Amino acid sequence: MADLPKEERTTVQQREQYGREMDARNAALENVEVPLETHALAEHEIPPPLTEEEIRAKVGNQNYDNATDDNAPTSINS
């Protein structure tokens, strides 16, 4: 932030106001009530798992091969 021109920097008051607005927004989202008509899916409503062919059709052969290939690194730091 120090490398921004002075006219583009925010003041302490602006940052504090933004923080209060975000806190209020987050608090409002945390207290959302679930309507009574909302329910969990029953066993018969859960679709069966996708087959390998269905997954390949959705993501493409090369993407599927890259994701399932054990030689592909999953993380640089692992």
Side-chain angles (χ1 to χ4, degrees):
M1 186 165 79
D3 57 343
L4 290 175
K6 189 164 186 108
E7 61 274 1
E8 291 183 22
R9 296 181 192 167
T10 57
T11 65
V12 172
Q13 292 81 13
Q14 288 171 321
R15 292 191 299 270
E16 288 175 350
Q17 178 61 32
Y18 179 77
R20 285 191 290 275
E21 290 171 5
M22 288 300 104
D23 286 344
R25 181 175 171 257
N26 291 337
L29 293 175
E30 288 174 1
N31 296 322
V32 174
E33 290 188 27
V34 178
L36 293 175
E37 61 271 7
T38 303
H39 64 281
L41 292 176
E43 289 281 333
H44 66 278
E45 295 175 310
I46 300 173
L50 295 174
T51 64
E52 184 175 322
E53 292 79 28
E54 291 171 323
I55 296 171
R56 283 184 184 274
K58 288 180 181 283
V59 301
N61 284 330
Q62 190 61 49
N63 287 337
Y64 182 83
D65 290 340
N66 289 341
T68 57
D69 183 11
D70 286 342
N71 294 330
T74 55
S75 173
I76 302 268
N77 296 325
S78 62

